[in-house]
Amino acid sequence: MPELTYRDALRKALADSMAENPDIILIGEEVGRYGGAYGVTKDLIKEFGPERVIDTPISEPSIVGAAVGAAMTGLRPVAELMYVDFLGMTMDQLANQAAKIRYMFGGQIGVPMVLRTQGGTGRSAGAQHSQSLEAYVMHTPGLRLAMPATVADAYHLLRQALTSPDPVVFIEHKALYTMKEDVDLDAPVPPWGKAAVRRHGKDLVIVTYSRQLHYVMEAAKTLAAKGIEATVIDLRTLNPLDFDTIREHVERVGRAMVVSEGAMTAGVAAELAARISEECFDFLEEPVIRVAGEDIPISVSTGLETGSVPGPQLIAETAGRMLA
Amino acid sequence: MPELTYRDALRKALADSMAENPDIILIGEEVGRYGGAYGVTKDLIKEFGPERVIDTPISEPSIVGAAVGAAMTGLRPVAELMYVDFLGMTMDQLANQAAKIRYMFGGQIGVPMVLRTQGGTGRSAGAQHSQSLEAYVMHTPGLRLAMPATVADAYHLLRQALTSPDPVVFIEHKALYTMKEDVDLDAPVPPWGKAAVRRHGKDLVIVTYSRQLHYVMEAAKTLAAKGIEATVIDLRTLNPLDFDTIREHVERVGRAMVVSEGAMTAGVAAELAARISEECFDFLEEPVIRVAGEDIPISVSTGLETGSVPGPQLIAETAGRMLA
Amino acid sequence: MSKKSNSDLLGLYRTMRRVRTFEERVGELFVRGQTAGSMLHLSIGEESAAVGITAAMKPQDTFTTHHRGHGIFLARGADPNRMMAEIGGKEAGYCHGKGGSMHIADMSLGHLGANAIVGGGIPAVVGAGLSARHKRNNAVSVAFFGDGATGQGVLYESMNMAALWGLPVVFACINNQYGMGTRIDQATANTNLHERAIAFGLNGESVDGLDVEEVAEAARRVVDGARAGKPGFLAVSCYRFYGHARKDKSPYRDAGEEETGRQRDPVAFTRARLIERGLTPEADLDTLDAEIGAEMDATIDFTIAQKEPPLASMFRDVFDPEEPEPEPVRTRLNRVLATE
Amino acid sequence: MSKKSNSDLLGLYRTMRRVRTFEERVGELFVRGQTAGSMLHLSIGEESAAVGITAAMKPQDTFTTHHRGHGIFLARGADPNRMMAEIGGKEAGYCHGKGGSMHIADMSLGHLGANAIVGGGIPAVVGAGLSARHKRNNAVSVAFFGDGATGQGVLYESMNMAALWGLPVVFACINNQYGMGTRIDQATANTNLHERAIAFGLNGESVDGLDVEEVAEAARRVVDGARAGKPGFLAVSCYRFYGHARKDKSPYRDAGEEETGRQRDPVAFTRARLIERGLTPEADLDTLDAEIGAEMDATIDFTIAQKEPPLASMFRDVFDPEEPEPEPVRTRLNRVLATE
Ligand SMILES: Cc1ncc(C[n+]2csc(CCOP(=O)(O)OP(=O)(O)O)c2C)c(N)n1
Ligand SMILES: Cc1ncc(C[n+]2csc(CCOP(=O)(O)OP(=O)(O)O)c2C)c(N)n1
Ligand SMILES: [Mg+2]
Ligand SMILES: [Mg+2]
């Protein structure tokens, strides 16, 4: 089994899909010659040429808007937003156009585009380059949302996104690019929209996604050492949301925690907690506990940055108290 | 007691505050000569002149950005976004600038601006002019969020917003502008950040805000006729969120429903439901039930438009089933 | 400038008249309370832009429009019944009544969609231009928008991209002098809008919209230029005869100005020219106008007779039809409340 | 063009040298692992823009900068210790270590803030211009940004507003030829950037950044023009000597180009001119440079000696200090988990 980084897996997903489907183009800032700010698209321009790997001016609204128009006219564009923090300038094209076109136009046409971007803390990049903004996307009807936590998912989810008939926002985590895993890319993979149960345990269900999966797994180990066994669910996609898997395990176990790096209030953790509480109420022995990002901007200072999002210790500690 | 419309109350709040504070300016599309797309700023340009009531080109990002710069240099701008649906083009200036400036700059300066806008369904204005996007704002640390449901609150909350040291997003509801109430504007008002209990009942707590308050009150009447007495909480501001009032009543009553016009998934209703479930778990006899907007774009067709958001009937019916 | 042939002029006239009459009927539908929504933006006075520019387009070409886009699409060949039905929010409409006046689209005629976001449809043509380049299908994509959209930064971003990549793209600005209540000179210091396009490296022209032949000529230059790899910008100056939307009485402009403005009527101008040049007898034009009147009258009856979209269609087409529909709130509530 | 007096030239040189040396020390701090974050953008090669333009500004003027803004703020009079401490993420920094290199601000010097969003700080100067008009305080507000920001639509919106309202505002574009790996001609078809400003009705100029005297002269024209009610745009062309950020080795440009580019060194050019004109003996310049070196060395020691901001400061300054701080997750969890 080859050892791959998350970055390499993403790159390979793009390369493999582009080789198969000549209508896939990449469009974004520095995706070509530079190879992507985080190196994901390295040398793809050499392989596929500048007509398919398109370096753009710094014009996020029009990059996304151009992808919308390209998708409506027969291409399958992958637009790249260098940081998810720039969503704020593209939300009109994303939420008012890409997300609504199929519906507004009565089903005449879809917008099969992928918006690749990356978010999260971990590089003390400051308040405008460290956010986790997936909640904006999850709240917007018409958008799909994938957030891979593992190297294999970086590959497979991106491959699957590239066959979606609907717009997919694909959010990578900046702290995961150099993560390595041994992966067999030919092994069977869960279908699009299916969560992965990363660990089975009888005491507590922890639902999470993206980088927090790794913190949760680390916490689960600490907990196991204390005799607490957690089931860990990695959502993989937030839309579609595989609530059936969540329900199954929460009903079995009776205790749930949700973990998200995004700001707590009105975030993804709120949705997950609300839904579990609503649908699994009779099975819950305790409230669903949210462990999420603080409701504050993120500092450049490493200490404050780390302190403002969940980490393995907070997760383990909280789980421990839930079971106490 | 004079009879006022919601629109008049808003206008009066602007006029009264502008008369008191010469640093207040209005800036936005059609706020001057036209008097505002919904008439809220009618004739203010005559009263305060074109240097304080500034008609702009159609440039939402720069309108909000200009307000940020004005607020940082000693003015107290009220920027108007004609529809909350245009938030998507201004979120960078709002969320990356206005919301974060005080924090990023270590508390040197605040951004005392108000972003007035309006949202919601009710005028078959279609998918791009009918949304309820308050969740984007509520999820963004650093922003205050007010959503008046009554004529009195239209006046008082706007007056209060105009003294806030921090950026306030002030979302009116397009279907309420012509609503009339007899109001004594000199009567004491709740302080900024305090919810109003609009109705007291022992069977169920319904938490809501903005136009849905009226639907909830209507439903509460229907329920009362059947012997079910609801406590109705109107949040007034979503940030600050007066959770103490919610907690007090939910713990007393043991049953809660949250009602929001915004799309359900990862919306305001999710935050409220998650938080009530988390903090009042031991007092709940049933799950907190969310009645919220459908996770779909809004149609121009009146039937589909009305069907896509909660109405009095759905609220009453759901409450009835909760108590059954 | 080589004037187009006479039969062309009659054709241009016919299309302009159809647009004019259609818009008048939309106004009637509104008065009869049969339109979906209060937001109706009529393009009366702007017919030469719609007709002159679409005349320069080829079948493979695509376009986006704005909130005042009925005329453009009709000029492109739309079925007025399906248009009117959409404006009425009926199932028989182009978008099954979900879109309405501001969200009409039709892939078969290359209409990538009207837009209720000022400037919202502009960048899509850059993408369509990339598609055309990729597929080598010789298609031009035209973004139609109003003068007000020149306030939106996305226009400049898109023009810059189009010029940089030499895309077959045209930016068509219908300068009706107003964005709602704001006159163009209250929205910008330099009203020679095409100069901006030139500064970004595009072909840029402004043309008087009174004369549809001149518009068509200018459009041909700009569209052909774009097809050959140099994107263009064309501003057509005209006058918005009526209020911004159906209810707006334009109190912000005085009667004198309106009267003068409405004299700049491209439909009347072309009609007079046909007569003056001895090309079409007035009686024939009367007959033509009457025929068009009858055709457009029928769109009202058609629309009123149509059904609203069924409630069940509400959850359709959020995603691809092969995908599950979003779960309705009621379904969830039934499930949640049943388990207790 | 009236050249500035000789003592001015030495002053300009001194400030440019201070910027250059400061940036070199930032690089050192980075190498020593003492900067907060991996994102450090040095303005080496761009000193004449920072120094020439700030020289044209008055004490009451305000400005915003971009991610490569150290030099501008230093030229404006920043305390290098507090700047370096901020870059190091230390409590003693201008923003108490919360902002870092890309988010330095200082109200006392009119610095409305650096920005990590390309173009993000541009519209603020329109608001500052409105404030100046309102308060009649004769202040100009200058937005500094890179050539890459000319891709952002918000620039054109803001220029349009400034021109429309005749605001005392200047748009200062530091054209270092690159936005990350993208050369300016790979980002736009017309690299004469000032032409766009002119098309919107502003004063627009481009100037060669090699000669700081010319930059200062051009800046004076543009800033004075803005103060008198005609907003302006000034593009200063220079060369980004090093990579985009500290780690970038610029593989996308060849060595020859870099060598030529680095020959366009405004600091060396001015130094040579001072000697050549016989204004300052080389030995004096050596002394000056050494003094500056020592001053800037001290900023490193200062920074390393400073404390990180305390964890408790994390919840401070989200809102006004009179308002309650956001509740920490741990506090909520304590409450929730205690009640069980
Ligand atoms: C982004 C955005 N801002 C504001 C509006 C509200 N609005 C609708 S049409 C219009 C005026 C547009 O003027 P113009 O582009 O000249 O088109 P016209 O109405 O004259 O055809 C405005 C401000 C909108 N729909 N979208
Ligand atoms: C909105 C936005 N898009 C992209 C980026 C990533 N980015 C940071 S700096 C930069 C290049 C900016 O080039 P330019 O404006 O010329 O400034 P320079 O770095 O040359 O000083 C890019 C693309 C960003 N920070 N913000
Ligand atoms: Mg117009
Ligand atoms: Mg640059």
Side-chain angles (χ1 to χ4, degrees):
Chain A
M1 274 199 312
E3 207 189 43
L4 270 187
T5 62
Y6 187 82
R7 171 191 286 138
D8 293 339
L10 293 163
R11 187 191 178 285
K12 185 165 160 49
L14 291 173
D16 289 355
S17 290
M18 288 179 82
E20 275 168 34
N21 181 350
D23 288 334
I24 295 177
I25 61 163
L26 310 186
I27 179 166
E29 296 156 16
E30 308 296 336
V31 296
R33 286 175 301 268
Y34 199 96
Y38 283 90
V40 172
T41 55
K42 189 150 199 282
D43 290 337
L44 290 176
I45 194 170
K46 291 191 189 146
E47 218 167 317
F48 299 101
E51 289 210 359
R52 291 185 66 195
V53 182
I54 304 171
D55 278 320
T56 68
I58 308 174
S59 310
E60 284 80 5
S62 292
I63 291 167
V64 176
V68 170
M72 292 179 79
T73 49
L75 295 184
R76 183 176 275 283
V78 182
E80 182 177 314
L81 215 54
M82 208 181 278
Y83 285 78
V84 77
D85 308 70
F86 311 155
L87 213 54
M89 27 179 73
T90 65
M91 276 303 274
D92 182 66
Q93 286 298 321
L94 186 66
N96 278 334
Q97 314 297 338
K100 295 183 172 54
I101 278 174
R102 185 190 292 277
Y103 193 84
M104 293 192 299
F105 299 159
Q108 287 181 65
I109 182 116
V111 184
M113 63 178 275
V114 173
L115 181 61
R116 269 193 57 238
T117 185
Q118 58 78 26
T121 54
R123 294 179 48 89
S124 41
Q128 295 172 335
H129 279 62
S130 306
Q131 295 169 90
S132 296
L133 299 180
E134 57 270 19
Y136 292 166
V137 179
M138 195 186 194
H139 184 55
T140 307
L143 299 177
R144 299 301 191 186
L145 173 57
M147 297 188 69
T150 67
V151 172
D153 275 352
Y155 181 79
H156 293 298
L157 287 174
L158 187 48
R159 292 279 279 158
Q160 290 170 342
L162 280 164
T163 64
S164 166
D166 293 301
V168 180
V169 179
F170 189 93
I171 310 182
E172 302 155 17
H173 198 294
K174 63 168 72 57
L176 296 182
Y177 284 122
T178 54
M179 178 182 65
K180 274 193 186 127
E181 282 174 16
D182 292 322
V183 281
D184 173 6
L185 294 178
D186 297 325
V189 280
W192 175 253
K194 186 92 186 118
V197 182
R198 301 289 183 194
R199 195 181 187 290
H200 288 265
K202 60 180 191 339
D203 299 315
L204 170 73
V205 177
I206 309 182
V207 183
T208 191
Y209 58 95
S210 190
R211 181 179 56 160
Q212 292 290 328
L213 171 66
H214 303 284
Y215 289 168
V216 168
M217 293 300 278
E218 202 179 319
K221 244 190 247 165
T222 312
L223 291 164
K226 297 185 183 155
I228 299 173
E229 294 297 340
T231 290
V232 176
I233 298 177
D234 171 9
L235 292 173
R236 305 174 71 245
T237 59
L238 298 178
N239 186 330
L241 178 71
D242 178 9
F243 195 75
D244 288 340
T245 296
I246 299 176
R247 181 190 289 111
E248 181 195 326
H249 290 277
V250 173
E251 291 188 356
R252 176 175 58 81
V253 170
R255 266 190 189 81
M257 177 197 284
V258 297
V259 181
S260 162
E261 186 167 328
M264 187 189 73
T265 297
V268 170
E271 172 59 29
L272 298 173
R275 187 133 182 217
I276 296 171
S277 304
E278 206 170 11
E279 304 220 8
C280 312
F281 187 77
D282 293 338
F283 298 85
L284 290 174
E285 302 191 26
E286 321 228 9
V288 182
I289 297 294
R290 286 183 284 174
V291 178
E294 301 289 352
D295 288 318
I296 63 174
I298 290 162
S299 293
V300 76
S301 148
T302 321
L304 301 192
E305 182 194 26
T306 312
S308 67
V309 297
Q313 204 197 328
L314 179 65
I315 297 164
E317 199 182 294
T318 307
R321 292 174 67 183
M322 284 176 76
L323 272 291
Chain B
M1 274 200 311
E3 205 188 46
L4 270 188
T5 62
Y6 186 84
R7 170 192 286 138
D8 293 339
L10 292 164
R11 187 191 178 284
K12 187 167 159 45
L14 291 173
D16 289 355
S17 291
M18 289 179 82
E20 276 168 33
N21 182 349
D23 288 334
I24 295 177
I25 62 164
L26 310 186
I27 179 166
E29 295 157 16
E30 307 297 336
V31 297
R33 288 174 300 269
Y34 200 96
Y38 283 90
V40 172
T41 55
K42 188 151 201 282
D43 289 337
L44 290 177
I45 194 171
K46 292 190 187 146
E47 220 168 312
F48 298 101
E51 288 210 0
R52 292 187 63 195
V53 182
I54 304 171
D55 278 321
T56 68
I58 307 173
S59 310
E60 284 80 5
S62 292
I63 291 168
V64 176
V68 171
M72 292 179 79
T73 50
L75 295 183
R76 184 176 273 284
V78 182
E80 183 177 312
L81 213 55
M82 207 181 277
Y83 286 77
V84 77
D85 309 70
F86 310 156
L87 214 52
M89 28 178 74
T90 65
M91 275 304 273
D92 182 65
Q93 287 297 319
L94 187 65
N96 279 333
Q97 314 297 338
K100 295 183 173 53
I101 278 175
R102 185 190 291 279
Y103 193 84
M104 292 191 300
F105 298 160
Q108 288 182 63
I109 183 115
V111 184
M113 63 177 277
V114 173
L115 181 63
R116 269 191 59 238
T117 186
Q118 58 79 27
T121 55
R123 294 179 48 89
S124 41
Q128 295 172 335
H129 279 62
S130 306
Q131 295 168 90
S132 297
L133 299 181
E134 56 271 17
Y136 292 166
V137 179
M138 196 187 194
H139 184 55
T140 306
L143 299 176
R144 300 300 192 186
L145 173 58
M147 298 190 68
T150 68
V151 172
D153 275 349
Y155 181 78
H156 293 298
L157 288 175
L158 187 47
R159 291 280 278 158
Q160 291 169 342
L162 280 163
T163 65
S164 165
D166 293 301
V168 179
V169 179
F170 190 93
I171 310 182
E172 303 156 15
H173 198 294
K174 65 168 70 57
L176 295 182
Y177 285 122
T178 55
M179 176 182 66
K180 274 193 186 128
E181 282 174 16
D182 293 322
V183 280
D184 174 4
L185 294 179
D186 298 324
V189 280
W192 175 252
K194 186 93 188 116
V197 182
R198 302 289 183 194
R199 195 180 187 291
H200 288 266
K202 60 179 191 338
D203 299 316
L204 170 73
V205 177
I206 309 183
V207 183
T208 191
Y209 58 95
S210 190
R211 181 179 57 163
Q212 291 292 328
L213 171 67
H214 304 284
Y215 289 169
V216 168
M217 292 300 279
E218 204 179 318
K221 246 190 243 163
T222 313
L223 291 165
K226 295 186 184 157
I228 298 174
E229 295 296 342
T231 290
V232 176
I233 297 177
D234 171 9
L235 291 173
R236 304 175 71 247
T237 58
L238 298 179
N239 185 331
L241 178 70
D242 178 10
F243 195 73
D244 288 340
T245 296
I246 299 176
R247 181 190 290 112
E248 179 195 327
H249 291 277
V250 172
E251 291 188 356
R252 176 175 57 81
V253 170
R255 267 192 188 80
M257 176 195 284
V258 296
V259 182
S260 162
E261 187 167 326
M264 187 188 74
T265 297
V268 170
E271 171 60 28
L272 298 173
R275 185 132 183 215
I276 297 171
S277 304
E278 206 170 12
E279 304 218 10
C280 313
F281 187 77
D282 293 338
F283 299 85
L284 290 174
E285 304 191 21
E286 321 227 9
V288 183
I289 296 293
R290 286 182 286 174
V291 178
E294 301 289 353
D295 288 318
I296 62 174
I298 290 161
S299 293
V300 76
S301 149
T302 321
L304 301 193
E305 182 193 25
T306 312
S308 66
V309 297
Q313 206 196 325
L314 178 64
I315 297 164
E317 202 182 291
T318 307
R321 292 175 67 186
M322 283 177 75
L323 272 291
Chain C
M1 189 198 322
S2 77
K3 290 281 175 201
K4 300 297 302 171
S5 77
N6 298 329
S7 71
D8 277 356
L9 187 59
L10 183 58
L12 293 171
Y13 173 76
R14 179 189 293 112
T15 311
M16 289 204 292
R17 170 62 68 194
R18 289 181 81 236
V19 170
R20 171 72 52 95
T21 309
F22 180 83
E23 293 288 53
E24 289 167 353
R25 295 302 177 275
V26 172
E28 273 178 58
L29 195 72
F30 176 80
V31 170
R32 292 170 68 172
Q34 296 278 345
T35 54
S38 47
M39 293 182 145
L40 271 182
H41 310 92
L42 304 184
S43 63
I44 293 177
E46 311 180 359
E47 294 84 356
S48 66
V51 174
I53 298 173
T54 52
M57 290 167 65
K58 298 206 167 156
Q60 72 271 26
D61 294 348
T62 59
F63 62 107
T64 60
T65 70
H66 59 327
H67 57 283
R68 202 179 298 283
H70 305 158
I72 299 158
F73 186 32
L74 202 65
R76 174 69 174 179
D79 170 356
N81 276 336
R82 290 180 68 198
M83 276 188 70
M84 194 64 86
E86 188 57 42
I87 294 166
K90 298 299 177 69
E91 205 184 357
Y94 269 103
C95 307
H96 305 313
K98 284 178 168 171
S101 162
M102 295 196 290
H103 304 293
I104 296 183
D106 177 40
M107 296 310 127
S108 64
L109 288 172
H111 190 354
L112 304 180
N115 223 301
I117 300 294
V118 169
I122 292 174
V125 300
V126 173
L130 290 171
S131 284
R133 180 174 85 176
H134 191 82
K135 299 184 177 289
R136 316 233 181 279
N137 63 6
N138 207 26
V140 168
S141 192
V142 183
F144 289 90
F145 51 88
D147 48 289
T150 63
Q152 293 288 10
V154 79
L155 169 62
Y156 305 100
E157 298 180 358
S158 291
M159 289 205 296
N160 184 51
M161 284 181 171
L164 176 65
W165 298 325
L167 296 180
V169 163
V170 169
F171 300 89
C173 177
I174 304 182
N175 180 1
N176 63 9
Q177 314 302 319
Y178 280 88
M180 291 189 68
T182 303
R183 217 175 44 227
I184 177 76
D185 62 318
Q186 295 161 338
T188 192
N190 180 4
T191 58
N192 294 319
L193 302 173
H194 63 280
E195 292 178 6
R196 299 173 196 183
I198 294 170
F200 280 96
L202 290 86
N203 283 330
E205 294 198 30
S206 286
V207 64
D208 183 346
L210 183 61
D211 184 342
V212 69
E213 291 179 294
E214 291 197 16
V215 176
E217 278 305 315
R220 209 168 304 276
R221 280 193 300 275
V222 171
V223 171
D224 289 352
R227 208 177 305 278
K230 180 142 190 195
F233 172 98
L234 179 64
V236 181
S237 87
C238 49
Y239 191 76
R240 197 190 71 202
F241 279 24
Y242 300 106
H244 166 68
R246 208 60 197 84
K247 275 180 181 158
D248 171 30
K249 301 263 176 292
S250 309
Y252 42 81
R253 54 190 200 184
D254 62 36
E257 182 203 299
E258 287 207 341
E259 223 182 278
T260 320
R262 289 187 197 147
Q263 249 129 51
R264 298 174 28 74
D265 181 338
V267 182
F269 179 87
T270 306
R271 197 178 206 273
R273 179 172 279 177
L274 282 165
I275 296 166
E276 178 195 303
R277 286 201 195 146
L279 296 170
T280 320
E282 186 157 13
D284 289 10
L285 290 170
D286 290 345
T287 310
L288 176 64
D289 291 357
E291 277 168 18
I292 290 171
E295 181 198 1
M296 297 305 171
D297 280 345
T299 66
I300 296 196
D301 303 332
F302 174 82
T303 295
I304 292 177
Q306 296 305 310
K307 289 194 310 281
E308 306 245 330
L311 256 186
S313 73
M314 198 159 85
F315 299 92
R316 201 177 295 154
D317 295 326
V318 179
F319 296 111
D320 185 81
E322 308 268 298
E323 306 275 325
E325 293 181 352
E327 186 181 42
V329 166
R330 276 178 197 277
T331 312
R332 182 178 46 86
L333 289 173
N334 283 341
R335 195 178 57 247
V336 172
L337 295 169
T339 53
E340 285 167 34
Chain D
M1 188 200 319
S2 77
K3 289 282 173 199
K4 300 297 301 170
S5 76
N6 297 331
S7 72
D8 277 358
L9 187 59
L10 182 59
L12 294 172
Y13 172 76
R14 178 188 294 112
T15 312
M16 288 204 293
R17 169 62 67 192
R18 289 182 81 234
V19 169
R20 170 72 52 94
T21 308
F22 180 82
E23 293 288 52
E24 288 167 353
R25 295 302 177 275
V26 172
E28 272 178 59
L29 195 72
F30 176 80
V31 170
R32 293 171 66 171
Q34 296 279 345
T35 55
S38 48
M39 291 180 143
L40 272 183
H41 310 91
L42 304 185
S43 63
I44 293 178
E46 311 180 0
E47 293 84 355
S48 66
V51 173
I53 299 172
T54 52
M57 292 167 64
K58 297 205 167 157
Q60 71 271 26
D61 294 349
T62 59
F63 62 106
T64 60
T65 69
H66 59 327
H67 57 284
R68 202 179 299 283
H70 304 159
I72 300 159
F73 185 31
L74 202 65
R76 174 67 175 179
D79 172 354
N81 276 335
R82 291 179 68 198
M83 277 187 69
M84 194 64 85
E86 189 56 43
I87 293 165
K90 297 299 176 71
E91 206 184 358
Y94 268 105
C95 306
H96 305 312
K98 283 177 168 174
S101 162
M102 294 196 291
H103 304 294
I104 296 183
D106 176 42
M107 296 310 127
S108 64
L109 288 172
H111 190 355
L112 303 179
N115 224 301
I117 300 294
V118 169
I122 292 174
V125 301
V126 173
L130 290 171
S131 283
R133 181 174 84 176
H134 191 82
K135 299 187 178 288
R136 316 232 182 280
N137 63 5
N138 206 29
V140 168
S141 193
V142 183
F144 289 90
F145 51 87
D147 48 288
T150 64
Q152 292 288 10
V154 79
L155 169 63
Y156 305 99
E157 298 181 357
S158 290
M159 290 205 296
N160 184 49
M161 284 181 171
L164 176 64
W165 297 327
L167 296 180
V169 163
V170 169
F171 300 89
C173 177
I174 303 181
N175 179 0
N176 63 9
Q177 314 303 319
Y178 280 88
M180 290 189 70
T182 304
R183 216 174 44 226
I184 177 75
D185 62 317
Q186 295 162 336
T188 192
N190 180 4
T191 57
N192 294 318
L193 303 173
H194 63 281
E195 292 179 5
R196 300 174 195 182
I198 294 170
F200 280 97
L202 291 86
N203 284 330
E205 294 198 31
S206 287
V207 64
D208 183 344
L210 183 61
D211 184 342
V212 69
E213 290 179 294
E214 290 197 17
V215 177
E217 278 305 315
R220 210 168 302 277
R221 281 192 300 276
V222 171
V223 171
D224 289 352
R227 208 177 305 278
K230 181 143 189 196
F233 172 98
L234 179 63
V236 180
S237 87
C238 48
Y239 191 76
R240 196 190 72 203
F241 279 23
Y242 301 106
H244 166 67
R246 209 58 197 85
K247 277 181 182 158
D248 172 28
K249 302 261 177 292
S250 309
Y252 42 82
R253 54 189 199 185
D254 61 37
E257 183 203 299
E258 287 207 341
E259 221 183 279
T260 319
R262 288 187 198 148
Q263 249 130 51
R264 297 174 30 72
D265 181 338
V267 182
F269 179 86
T270 305
R271 197 180 206 271
R273 179 172 280 178
L274 282 166
I275 296 167
E276 179 193 303
R277 287 201 196 147
L279 296 170
T280 321
E282 187 158 11
D284 290 10
L285 291 170
D286 289 346
T287 309
L288 176 64
D289 291 358
E291 277 166 19
I292 292 171
E295 181 198 3
M296 297 306 171
D297 279 345
T299 65
I300 296 195
D301 304 331
F302 175 82
T303 296
I304 292 177
Q306 296 305 310
K307 289 195 310 283
E308 306 245 330
L311 256 186
S313 74
M314 199 158 85
F315 299 93
R316 201 177 294 154
D317 296 325
V318 179
F319 296 112
D320 186 81
E322 307 268 299
E323 306 275 324
E325 293 181 353
E327 187 181 39
V329 166
R330 277 179 196 275
T331 312
R332 183 179 45 86
L333 289 173
N334 284 341
R335 196 178 56 247
V336 172
L337 294 169
T339 55
E340 283 167 34

